[in-house]
Amino acid sequence: MKGKFISLGQLLIVLAICGFVALIYTGCGGGNDDDDDDDFYGEAEADYSYGPPPASSFPSGLNPPNGAAFDDVFFKDYGTNPFIDTEDDHLSTFGMDVDTASYSVTRRYLRDGLLPPPEAVRVEEFINAFDYNYDPPLHEAFAVYIDGAPSKFGEGKRLQLLRIGIQGRVVPTENRKDAILTFVIDVSGSMAMENRLGLVKRSLMLLVDQLRPGDEVGIVIYGSRAKILLPHTGVEERGRILRAIDSLAPEGATNAEEGLRMGYDLALKNARFGSINRVILCSDGVANVGQTGPDAILREVRAHVDEGVTLTTVGFGMGNFNDILMEQLANKGNGSYAYVDTLDEAKRIFVENLTGTLQIIARDAKVQVDFNPRVVSRFRLIGYENRRLDHEDFRDDDADGGEIGSGHSVTALYEIKLHEEVGGQLATVFVRHEDPDTRQVTEVSKDIFTAELADTFENASPEFQLAAGIAEFAEILGESFWAREGSLDAVHQVVEGVLPHIRDEQSHELAHLVNRAARFKARSAERIE
C-alpha cells in the first residue's frame, strides 16, 4: 500500500511540473503564431529598446484603477471627423502637422503585446510617419501632389479616397544653419523606469555626433529643482558635451515648469541671429512640482516663441507618461513632437532627419480644400481632428498653423462621395505659409479633376495604397465610427500587396504590427465572449 501511494505521489508531482513548464512556455510567448514577429523584432530590440513592461503593467487581476495596461498614462480623445455635405460647407481647413509620436507610441504598445488605448491613436500621425516618395520642389517651399481612387475601406456607395501630398523643400546638410541647441532633460525619479534615461543619453549622443563646427549645445536638467549642467559649448569640445550627457542620473521629483523656464532663459541668452535656436525637451511629460498644470507651462512656452526660440519635445517611456502635455508643448512652441521607443527611432529623428528636425522651412503652414459642390456631394477628412481651423483663419496670418522642417512631407486623406454621372473639377487645394526668415507669406493652389482618379484601387500607385492601409489601420485601432466594420486582415492584405513595390524596412515593420494587432484583437474578442 505504501509503495502504491509513493508512485501516485510521484505521478502527481510529474504532472504538476509538466503543467508548470507549459504555463511558463505559454507566458513567454511560446506558440508558432508569434514566431515570425519575435524573429522580426529580435534584432531591432537587441540594438537598444525598453525591456518588457513590469508584470504590474499587463492586464491581470491587479489592473490599474481604469483597467489600462500602464499606470498614469494620459492621452486625449479628440473625436472623429464627420462627413460634411458640400451644400452646407464646401471648405475644409486645417494646420499642417508633421508629428509622428502616436505611431511610435502604438508600436511600443504592440511590441509589448498590448493594444493601444483608442485615444492614443491620431490617424494623421500614423500617415505622416511614412515616406511616400514625393519629389521635393527645387525652389518653392512646397510641391503639392493630388491623386485618388475608389475607397478600399469606405462603406461603399461611390466613395472615393483622395490623397493630398505636400512635400517640403530639402535644405542640403551642408547648407543647414548653425544650431544653438538647449537640451532640457528630465532626470526625475520616473526617468529611472525602463532605463528611459539611458535611452535619452544614447539618443542625445547620436545627435551630438551629427553636429558640426558652428553648432553649440547647452544642457539644463530638472528633478525637484532645475539647474544648468552645461553652459553653451561649441561642438569643438565634443568630449565635454558627451561627458555631461553621460553623467546624467535620475533624482527627485519633476519640476518641468522650472526646467523649461531655465532652459528658455539659457537659450535666449545664447541665441544667435540667423541660426537655429532650439530647445529640445526630453521627458516622460509628467510634472508634479512647481506649476504642474498644462496651462501654466504652455503660457511659459508660448511667451518665448516670438523671441525666435522653437521647441522640439521628445517623449520617452510608458507608464507615468503624459502624451497630452508633450504634444501641446510642441504645438505651442512652434515645433514638433516625437516619441522614442527604440534607438532606431532616435537614429531616424536625430541622424537621418536631423536637418528636418532642426531647420524650419515654413511657419504657420495651413491647408484649405475647396470642394466643388456640383461634383462632390460630401467629404470627410481622415484625422487632423486637433488641427482643425476656422475657415477664416486660413488667410489670417496671426492664426497659428504648423511648422514644417526641411524635407518633411504632409499627407492628408479625404473620403469623398461624387454625384452620379457628373465630372470635371472636383476640388482645389490651397497651401499657405510664412517664410521663417523673410516673414513673407506665400499661397499656392492646385486643382484636381475627376479624370485624374484611378478607375480601381488596385490601379492606384503603391504609395497611395500604402497610405490607405495605414489610415484604416489607425482608424480601427482608434475605434473610429467609420471603421467599426473594418478588418485588420484586409489591411494586412493591402500592406503585404505593396511590399514588393515599396522596399523599405518601415513598411515591412508595419505589416508585422498589423498582424500582431489582428491577433491581439481576436484574443480580446475571445475573452469578452
Side-chain angles (χ1 to χ4, degrees):
M1 187 73 179
K2 183 177 179 180
K4 291 181 181 179
F5 179 80
I6 292 173
S7 298
L8 180 60
Q10 291 172 334
L11 177 62
L12 291 173
I13 292 171
V14 170
L15 290 173
I17 292 173
C18 290
F20 181 67
V21 170
L23 180 62
I24 293 175
Y25 177 71
T26 302
C28 292
N32 293 333
D33 63 338
D34 286 333
D35 286 350
D36 290 344
D37 289 310
D38 292 341
D39 291 343
F40 180 81
Y41 288 118
E43 185 176 349
E45 290 179 337
D47 188 11
Y48 199 95
S49 67
Y50 298 118
S56 62
S57 295
F58 286 98
S60 68
L62 297 174
N63 277 346
N66 61 354
F70 295 97
D71 288 302
D72 297 327
V73 289
F74 302 93
F75 300 103
K76 184 174 180 178
D77 182 0
Y78 291 99
T80 303
N81 287 329
F83 270 98
I84 297 175
D85 194 313
T86 54
E87 290 185 356
D88 298 326
D89 187 356
H90 56 88
L91 296 175
S92 173
T93 310
F94 62 94
M96 288 197 202
D97 180 21
V98 294
D99 293 351
T100 60
S102 179
Y103 177 76
S104 301
V105 166
T106 296
R107 179 175 60 199
R108 166 69 196 272
Y109 270 90
L110 292 173
R111 290 177 69 165
D112 283 348
L114 303 162
L115 288 170
E119 60 271 20
V121 176
R122 293 183 289 274
V123 180
E124 70 279 3
E125 295 186 22
F126 275 57
I127 296 170
N128 288 325
F130 288 77
D131 180 12
Y132 301 106
N133 297 316
Y134 304 126
D135 290 330
L138 295 178
H139 306 293
E140 303 298 327
F142 296 113
V144 181
Y145 299 91
I146 313 174
D147 56 0
S151 178
K152 176 77 172 179
F153 303 106
E155 297 185 331
K157 298 188 178 179
R158 305 188 310 281
L159 286 182
Q160 301 277 330
L161 186 68
L162 189 67
R163 178 178 67 150
I164 300 169
I166 303 168
Q167 175 63 54
R169 174 172 52 87
V170 175
V171 176
T173 301
E174 61 272 17
N175 293 341
R176 172 177 66 77
K177 299 176 182 179
D178 291 341
I180 313 302
L181 306 180
T182 306
F183 298 157
V184 177
I185 305 170
D186 181 353
V187 295
S188 63
S190 64
M191 294 297 287
M193 297 167 59
E194 310 170 307
N195 196 28
R196 57 185 71 169
L197 187 57
L199 187 53
V200 169
K201 291 159 69 171
R202 292 285 301 276
S203 300
L204 294 180
M205 287 177 178
L206 285 174
L207 189 159
V208 171
D209 284 341
Q210 301 304 307
L211 299 180
R212 64 184 190 207
D215 298 334
E216 296 182 5
V217 172
I219 301 176
V220 169
I221 61 174
Y222 66 91
S224 299
R225 300 300 304 268
K227 67 178 181 179
I228 297 173
L229 179 66
L230 180 74
H232 278 87
T233 302
V235 76
E236 296 83 1
E237 297 185 69
R238 192 182 308 269
R240 182 184 176 195
I241 298 171
L242 294 176
R243 285 193 297 273
I245 294 172
D246 192 49
S247 72
L248 299 174
E251 59 176 32
T254 315
N255 197 333
E257 183 249 352
E258 185 176 275
L260 277 169
R261 183 189 300 119
M262 187 174 291
Y264 270 105
D265 287 345
L266 184 63
L268 287 167
K269 287 177 183 176
N270 292 274
R272 189 190 303 162
F273 181 77
S275 297
I276 300 165
N277 299 293
R278 177 70 58 93
V279 171
I280 299 178
L281 171 66
C282 298
S283 174
D284 54 23
V286 174
N288 52 30
V289 174
Q291 293 285 349
T292 60
D295 291 341
I297 298 174
L298 290 170
R299 280 195 300 271
E300 190 76 35
V301 169
R302 190 62 187 169
H304 295 297
V305 169
D306 292 335
E307 298 176 87
V309 178
T310 55
L311 174 68
T312 293
T313 61
V314 186
F316 293 83
M318 192 57 61
N320 208 43
F321 179 74
N322 192 336
D323 174 85
I324 302 171
L325 180 60
M326 295 295 280
E327 187 202 18
Q328 291 181 351
L329 284 172
N331 290 347
K332 296 295 184 183
N334 276 14
S336 58
Y337 166 40
Y339 176 84
V340 171
D341 56 334
T342 66
L343 194 63
D344 282 342
E345 183 66 12
K347 289 176 182 176
R348 187 188 71 80
I349 299 167
F350 294 134
V351 178
E352 298 166 13
N353 297 322
L354 179 64
T355 301
T357 299
L358 296 181
Q359 183 152 336
I360 292 172
I361 62 167
R363 293 186 60 192
D364 290 329
K366 309 165 193 173
V367 178
Q368 185 167 85
V369 183
D370 188 353
F371 289 99
N372 182 356
R374 293 188 299 274
V375 177
V376 179
S377 67
R378 59 183 181 134
F379 66 87
R380 175 175 76 95
L381 174 60
I382 299 176
Y384 295 92
E385 283 84 3
N386 65 334
R387 296 288 181 161
R388 287 175 293 195
L389 296 174
D390 294 334
H391 300 325
E392 55 268 26
D393 286 344
F394 180 71
R395 292 189 175 90
D396 179 353
D397 296 326
D398 292 327
D400 194 33
E403 278 57 50
I404 308 299
S406 164
H408 283 171
S409 64
V410 175
T411 297
L413 299 178
Y414 284 87
E415 275 192 331
I416 61 176
K417 184 177 180 181
L418 305 180
H419 291 297
E420 291 189 78
E421 300 179 1
V422 176
Q425 180 182 339
L426 63 85
T428 301
V429 177
F430 298 90
V431 178
R432 189 177 177 90
H433 77 280
E434 178 185 278
D435 185 285
D437 297 323
T438 67
R439 298 301 173 97
Q440 180 179 350
V441 174
T442 302
E443 182 175 318
V444 298
S445 64
K446 186 169 184 176
D447 299 330
I448 183 170
F449 296 82
T450 54
E452 300 175 56
L453 302 176
D455 56 349
T456 67
F457 180 81
E458 291 71 23
N459 284 340
S461 70
E463 291 81 6
F464 177 94
Q465 295 181 47
L466 177 65
I470 294 168
E472 181 70 2
F473 178 43
E475 289 216 283
I476 292 173
L477 292 181
E479 298 182 358
S480 165
F481 173 83
W482 306 109
R484 61 193 185 280
E485 302 297 330
S487 165
L488 287 174
D489 290 335
V491 172
H492 189 263
Q493 184 178 4
V494 167
V495 175
E496 286 282 351
V498 301
L499 289 183
H501 309 286
I502 301 178
R503 300 181 181 278
D504 66 67
E505 184 177 338
Q506 192 178 23
S507 297
H508 283 271
E509 177 191 67
L510 174 66
H512 286 273
L513 292 178
V514 174
N515 195 33
R516 289 171 77 87
R519 289 203 307 273
F520 300 158
K521 268 194 166 294
R523 292 172 184 171
S524 178
E526 289 173 2
R527 285 195 296 268
I528 293 174
E529 292 175 0

